[in-house]
Amino acid sequence: MYGFKEVDAAGLETLKTAGTYVLIDVRTDAEVSRGMIDNAMHLPLHLLPIKVQGIPQDKPVVFYCQSGGRSAQACAFLAAKGFENVYNLQGGIMGWMRSGKPLAAMA
């Protein structure tokens, strides 16, 4: 309906083991300072329109935020720009932590 897919924590683990993907954290600097998912790049949602050209279209792109709302906006934005392999992490980083997955420090 919106041109992107939803993925849960287990699905993200599957993408990680399957190979190449891009994981993007769209939260604020303050939120990211409390921890992020390992191997994620930080791109605050408000900067997405000016940084979209740097996001590869040839691999899956997974967005996450605190609970899934802002990352869904990011997914819809990319889908509208023609990206076809875009995923929203269900429940955001909170869902990730609820499933027992670890956080990493911002690199």
Side-chain angles (χ1 to χ4, degrees):
M1 178 172 157
Y2 297 106
F4 63 89
K5 306 166 201 81
E6 296 278 337
V7 65
D8 61 9
L12 179 54
E13 288 289 354
T14 301
L15 279 174
K16 283 181 166 188
T17 59
T20 311
Y21 71 102
V22 177
L23 181 60
I24 302 175
D25 185 330
V26 296
R27 298 177 300 152
T28 65
D29 292 344
E31 289 171 310
V32 167
S33 71
R34 295 189 296 257
M36 59 193 308
I37 298 172
D38 196 30
N39 295 320
M41 65 180 273
H42 180 221
L43 177 59
L45 182 62
H46 71 279
L47 295 178
L48 184 59
I50 60 173
K51 301 282 189 171
V52 69
Q53 71 279 359
I55 299 172
Q57 292 194 44
D58 61 342
K59 54 185 85 169
V61 179
V62 181
F63 286 99
Y64 74 91
C65 61
Q66 193 69 19
S67 63
R70 287 173 285 172
S71 51
Q73 292 176 24
C75 289
F77 178 77
L78 256 64
K81 294 285 186 190
F83 284 71
E84 296 179 359
N85 209 0
V86 180
Y87 296 84
N88 182 36
L89 180 61
Q90 291 176 336
I93 199 165
M94 298 303 295
W96 176 259
M97 291 187 306
R98 274 192 302 273
S99 68
K101 306 293 185 196
L103 293 183
M106 185 173 166

